[in-house]
Amino acid sequence: MKSIRAAATAAAVALTLPALLLARQNIVKNGSVEYGGGPGAIDQQIADQWTEVGTNVERSGAYSYVPATGHALKAFGDGDNTSVAAYQEIPGFSPGQSVTATVRLFSPANDKLGGSGQAGLRLEFLDFFGGTLGGIHEIYALNSSSPADTWLLATVGPFTAPANTVKVRITCRLTWTIGNVSGAAYWDDVQVTANGGPNAVANGDFETAGPSPGQSAYGIDDWLGFNDQEKSDAFAEHGSYSLQLGTHSNYSGLYQEMKQLVDGDHLYMIAWVLNPSSDPLTGSSRAGIKLEFSVPGGAPPPIETLPFTQDSPNDVWTLVTLDTTVPDDVTVAKAVMVYFADGGTTGSVYVDSARAERGGAPGVNQLLNPSFEQGLGGADGLSNWTELYSDGVSQLRKSCFAIPAHNGNCAAKGTGAAPAFLVQEFTVVPGEALHLEAYFRSPSADPLTGGAAKCGVKLEWVLGTLPETVDIGDQENQIVAGAPQNTWIPVVIDYDMPAGTAAITRFVDIIEKGSGLTGKVYFDSHEAVVTNLFNGCDADGDDDEDMIDFANFQRCYNGPSVTPPWNCIVNDSNDDGDVDGSDWDYFRPRITGPN
C-alpha cells in the first residue's frame, strides 16, 4: 500500500464478505468542505464591536430580550478566576453631558445564577489616553436571589461627564468569589445615552457576530464541529472553501462518523493542512488528523449508584461503592464519576480516591490518577480522565486546596445546574467480579442543594475490542509550529484494523492549543478509502459503482505518472499514484449501476 504509516498494527486477516460491502470505497462525505452553511449555521460566539475579558463569555441564541428570538451575551463562572466581562469603548462624549446606561439582565431557571455570582453593568468615563475619570459607576442587579426567567432592567446614572472626557466604556460583567459560582447570566439591549439622545452603543442587542473565531457545530454538511472552527473561503486546496481551526479553545476540530470496519480492513486517510503566514501556529501548538473508534452494536445497560444528595452530611468524605459482575462479551468497562444536577441545583460536590478492582486482579486499582492529582486543571485538565458535560457550564474538574482532600492535595469538583461526568476506561474479563468506589463530599460553605441533585459512581460497558485511537503525535499525521507556511501539506493515516476488532470509524480534524496563544490552520481535501478488496471504485460511498462514480473517474483520469487531484485515491486501483489506462481497465468491467 502507501509508504506512509501512521500506526503499527496487527497483520491483516482475509475475510469472506460481499464484494461491494468493502469495495475500494471512499467512506468520507463532503471531504472538500464545499457543502453546508458554514459559520452562519449557528451563532458565532464573539459579538461584533465587543471585547471579551475571560473565556467564559460568549454571544448566545439561547435567550434574547430584543428581538424575542434573537441573541444575547452569556457569561458563566469557573473555579479559578473571579470575573469575566465584555466591554465596548464609545467615542464622541464630552465634559458636562448627562450620561445614563441601561441593560436587561436574565438568568434561566434551568441554569440559574448561584453561589456568590452577581452580574451587572459598569460605566466609566475615559480621557484621551484611556484613563478612568471620576471612578467606576456600576450596578449588580442579578444574583442568586433574583427571579429566574425574568428580564430585569438595570440602570447606571445619570452621571455628569467629568472634565477631559472624550469617550465612555460600558462593561457587562459577571463577578464572584473564587470557587463559589454556578449557573449563567445574560445581558441584552445595552444602551448608553447622552442628554437623552440616541443609543450610542454599537451592537447593543448582540445580533451581529464578530469576525473573531466562533462555533459552527452543524455548519458543514456531514461533519460535526466543536469549539473554535468554521467554514472559510480564505484558503482552499480544492474548490472554494476549507475548514478553519483556531486556538480560542484548548482543543477545536471537526469530525465525521464513517462506516463500520472489521479486522483485516485497510483504511487510508488523508487531508491537506495549511499553516498561514498571517497567523501561524506558535509555541507547542499542533494540528492534524485522528482516527477514532466507537462500538458498532448495543452494549449491556450501565449500572449506577447515586446515593450522595443534599441530605448527605457536609464536610465529611462519604464512601460510595458499586459491586457487580462483568457481563458476557464485555472486555472494556468505563468507570464514571457522576455529578447529576438539574436547573434547581446549587452548591458544589467533590470526589476523590476513585478505585476500580477486578476479581481477576485483587488489590490492584485499575484506574490511573485515581485521586485527581495529575493534570493542568481546567477543561479536560485531568490526566487519564475524559470530562463530559451537557451544557458547557456544569463541570467536574480538578480543584486543589479548596477543601481537605481525601488523598493528596486535589479532588474533582462538581458544580453547575446540569449533569457532568468524568470517565476512564479499563480492560475487564467477562464473568469476573468488579468493584468500583469513590469518596464524595460537599462543603458547608457551599453545600449541595436541589432535591434532584445526586452524585455517585457508574459502570458502562464496551462489547468486543476497540482499536486504540490513532492520535496526533506521529509526524505523518500532524503539523507543528514552524511548519512551512502558506503551503498545503498532506497529513496521512494508513491503518489496518487489528485482528478481533470491529468498530465504527471516525475521521477527526483537530488543533491543540498547547503553550501557544495564537494560530490558525486550514483543512481541506479529505479522503478516507477502504482499499483491501478491489471490487469496484465507489467514490461516493453508497455501495455501488454507477454513473456518479464514472463521472468522478473522468475527473480523476490524468494519465501515467501524474498525481491525481482530490477524491481520486479510490480510482487508483493499482496503487501507483496516478489514474491512467490500467485503472480504467480495472474500473470499466465493474460498473454495476445504482443500488
Side-chain angles (χ1 to χ4, degrees):
M1 183 47 199
K2 307 291 180 182
S3 60
I4 301 176
R5 305 293 297 181
T9 62
V13 178
L15 298 176
T16 303
L17 291 173
L20 284 177
L21 178 62
L22 291 175
R24 189 174 184 92
Q25 181 182 53
N26 176 28
I27 61 173
V28 67
K29 300 181 185 300
N30 193 21
S32 185
V33 198
E34 296 304 296
Y35 306 108
I42 65 170
D43 303 315
Q44 289 180 275
Q45 289 182 295
I46 311 300
D48 192 34
Q49 304 294 325
W50 292 87
T51 300
E52 294 184 353
V53 180
T55 58
N56 293 352
V57 57
E58 62 193 31
R59 178 173 176 263
S60 170
Y63 303 96
S64 177
Y65 180 74
V66 286
T69 58
H71 305 83
L73 182 75
K74 174 185 177 182
F76 50 94
D78 60 40
D80 301 317
N81 299 290
T82 59
S83 67
V84 292
Y87 69 88
Q88 183 177 144
E89 293 187 355
I90 310 168
F93 286 78
S94 57
Q97 290 180 320
S98 177
V99 179
T100 302
T102 62
V103 71
R104 297 283 178 166
L105 290 154
F106 179 92
S107 189
N110 63 0
D111 193 20
K112 191 174 184 301
L113 188 63
S116 62
Q118 53 180 353
L121 191 67
R122 172 182 286 184
L123 175 67
E124 298 169 85
F125 296 97
L126 306 180
D127 61 20
F128 180 81
F129 300 101
T132 300
L133 302 168
I136 295 172
H137 310 288
E138 58 188 353
I139 184 173
Y140 291 93
L142 183 69
N143 54 45
S144 60
S145 300
S146 302
D149 295 334
T150 303
W151 285 101
L152 305 175
L153 176 64
T155 301
V156 180
F159 292 99
T160 301
N164 301 317
T165 295
V166 297
K167 58 183 175 179
V168 300
R169 180 190 294 135
I170 191 73
T171 305
C172 301
R173 187 167 184 259
L174 172 65
T175 183
W176 64 89
T177 302
I178 190 167
N180 183 23
V181 65
S182 59
Y186 293 78
W187 294 257
D188 205 356
D189 193 24
V190 184
Q191 299 194 29
V192 176
T193 60
N195 296 331
N199 182 20
V201 179
N203 194 26
D205 56 3
F206 304 101
E207 294 309 300
T208 305
S212 302
Q215 286 189 330
S216 177
Y218 299 94
I220 299 174
D221 287 355
D222 301 303
W223 297 85
L224 295 175
F226 54 96
N227 296 330
D228 183 1
Q229 53 80 30
E230 61 183 79
K231 187 176 177 180
S232 171
D233 61 1
F235 300 93
E237 200 278 333
H238 177 270
S240 302
Y241 299 97
S242 64
L243 165 69
Q244 175 188 292
L245 298 183
T247 51
H248 182 69
S249 302
N250 289 334
Y251 293 93
S252 299
L254 201 74
Y255 66 91
Q256 182 179 143
E257 300 285 355
M258 302 186 296
K259 291 196 172 183
Q260 177 180 339
L261 299 183
V262 297
D263 57 359
D265 288 342
H266 189 151
L267 178 63
Y268 183 77
M269 297 167 51
I270 185 172
W272 295 78
V273 60
L274 182 141
N275 186 30
S277 60
S278 58
D279 192 10
L281 292 175
T282 60
S284 62
S285 297
R286 55 182 181 164
I289 61 175
K290 295 173 62 177
L291 174 59
E292 296 180 344
F293 304 95
S294 60
V295 179
I303 58 173
E304 63 185 12
T305 178
L306 307 175
F308 193 90
T309 69
Q310 64 177 2
D311 297 324
S312 300
N314 294 325
D315 300 327
V316 175
W317 285 107
T318 301
L319 178 64
V320 175
T321 64
L322 177 60
D323 290 280
T324 190
T325 300
V326 178
D328 292 342
D329 301 321
V330 168
T331 56
V332 174
K334 294 181 179 181
V336 186
M337 305 294 109
V338 179
Y339 170 79
F340 191 88
D342 65 7
T345 301
T346 61
S348 60
V349 173
Y350 295 78
V351 57
D352 204 357
S353 300
R355 183 176 185 83
E357 187 172 329
R358 295 171 41 207
V364 178
N365 189 358
Q366 301 296 315
L367 301 178
L368 302 175
N369 193 20
S371 63
F372 311 106
E373 299 296 308
Q374 288 100 45
L376 298 176
D380 297 316
L382 276 166
S383 300
N384 307 113
W385 294 89
T386 299
E387 178 184 330
L388 302 174
Y389 49 83
S390 60
D391 65 349
V393 179
S394 299
Q395 55 187 255
L396 190 53
R397 296 179 182 170
K398 182 177 180 180
S399 175
C400 298
F401 303 104
I403 62 170
H406 186 266
N407 185 31
N409 297 314
C410 303
K413 178 184 179 182
T415 58
F421 311 90
L422 288 174
V423 182
Q424 185 175 150
E425 293 187 357
F426 59 97
T427 59
V428 292
V429 175
E432 71 176 343
L434 186 59
H435 174 82
L436 179 64
E437 67 177 44
Y439 286 84
F440 289 79
R441 176 174 177 148
S442 184
S444 57
D446 186 27
L448 180 67
T449 60
K454 49 189 176 181
C455 306
V457 296
K458 179 180 182 180
L459 282 167
E460 298 178 350
W461 312 108
V462 178
L463 287 175
T465 301
L466 287 179
E468 292 186 5
T469 296
V470 181
D471 208 341
I472 53 173
D474 189 308
Q475 292 303 307
E476 294 155 349
N477 72 331
Q478 72 167 23
I479 64 168
V480 298
Q485 296 177 0
N486 299 334
T487 301
W488 286 103
I489 302 169
V491 286
V492 171
I493 292 175
D494 193 355
Y495 188 79
D496 292 312
M497 290 287 288
T501 60
I504 301 295
T505 51
R506 175 185 287 176
F507 198 129
V508 185
D509 296 336
I510 193 166
I511 187 170
E512 179 183 11
K513 184 174 184 177
S515 61
L517 300 179
T518 61
K520 294 185 179 72
V521 294
Y522 296 82
F523 284 84
D524 203 357
S525 299
H526 305 76
E527 294 180 72
V529 179
V530 182
T531 65
N532 55 300
L533 292 178
F534 302 143
N535 290 315
C537 298
D538 185 9
D540 58 354
D542 64 351
D543 297 326
D544 63 26
E545 188 172 342
D546 57 15
M547 294 307 292
I548 294 175
D549 302 303
F550 174 66
N552 191 75
F553 184 92
Q554 286 183 305
R555 184 183 63 84
C556 293
Y557 186 90
N558 54 12
S561 304
V562 179
T563 301
W566 165 74
N567 201 21
C568 295
I569 294 173
V570 69
N571 295 118
D572 182 13
S573 59
N574 59 1
D575 223 19
D576 63 351
D578 59 33
V579 179
D580 56 12
S582 61
D583 299 302
W584 169 245
D585 291 339
Y586 173 85
F587 179 88
R588 178 176 50 82
R590 291 171 171 81
I591 294 178
T592 63
N595 244 349

